Amino acid sequence: MLYLYLKALHIIFIVCWFAGLFYIVRLFVYYAEAANKSKLEKDILTKQYTIMTNRLWNIITWPAAILATGFGVGMLIYNPALLSIPWMHVKLLFVVLLIAYHLKCQQYVNQINANTMTKSSSYFRLWNEGATLILFSVVFLVILKSALNWIYGVVGLVGLSILLMIGIKYYKKVRERNR
């Protein structure tokens, strides 16, 4: 029964963590776009986006990341047999990628706080897809669990990546046309 509570809490905080990651990168996009505004607008927007970024990052995203990881580790301690399952090794690889993604986002938060952000909004729109790909990978992996289905999942993920790239480029063209 304890394992199911750990699992439920793990899933809840994974959802919170991803929500924070998706929204923080959206704030990065807005922050980058504010650089193209008039000085008055830029000053107002960057100040507001900095406040929003810090609140989201420090009050929601970091605590959710720590709790999701903690409950995940708790599940592994409670049921160490999970570590002998091949799909779990792949999942843990994606967890490492997610933590690396999170830490890179921390660098961008630090740049916002130091007012040294130089990346473009287009870069961050693309960067946002990293978390999407990790989420899709982990969900398909955990649900499907078999090697054959995992191969189909990887092929599907590559296809999804291509569609996302095409969609981002199309969206950029539409935005530029509407300016």
Side-chain angles (χ1 to χ4, degrees), residues 10-139:
H10 177 66
I11 292 169
I12 289 166
F13 287 107
I14 285 293
V15 170
C16 296
W17 188 7
F18 271 98
L21 288 172
F22 289 141
Y23 190 49
I24 199 75
V25 179
R26 177 56 38 193
L27 289 174
F28 296 164
V29 169
Y30 297 154
Y31 186 91
E33 287 178 346
N36 299 326
K37 305 287 184 184
S38 70
K39 176 155 175 39
L40 178 62
E41 283 180 295
K42 178 184 173 187
D43 290 346
I44 292 168
L45 290 172
T46 56
K47 181 179 178 184
Q48 184 61 41
Y49 292 145
T50 301
I51 291 167
M52 292 168 68
T53 296
N54 284 302
R55 287 181 180 165
L56 172 66
W57 196 245
N58 296 317
I59 297 171
I60 296 172
T61 312
W62 260 113
I66 291 166
L67 290 167
T69 304
F71 289 120
V73 169
M75 289 168 49
L76 294 173
I77 290 170
Y78 188 81
N79 187 2
L82 290 170
L83 292 171
S84 65
I85 304 170
W87 67 263
M88 181 58 75
H89 300 155
V90 179
K91 179 190 176 196
L92 292 174
L93 174 67
F94 281 112
V95 170
V96 169
L97 290 174
L98 181 62
I99 291 169
Y101 182 91
H102 181 98
L103 293 173
K104 187 63 180 176
C105 285
Q106 177 66 60
Q107 289 181 341
Y108 295 134
V109 170
N110 294 344
Q111 289 174 12
I112 285 175
N113 289 329
N115 198 24
T116 59
M117 175 75 74
T118 59
K119 301 288 185 191
S120 70
S121 61
S122 296
Y123 171 85
F124 286 119
R125 281 189 179 85
L126 191 58
W127 177 253
N128 198 41
E129 302 315 322
T132 303
L133 294 174
I134 293 170
L135 177 63
F136 271 68
S137 299
V138 171
V139 169

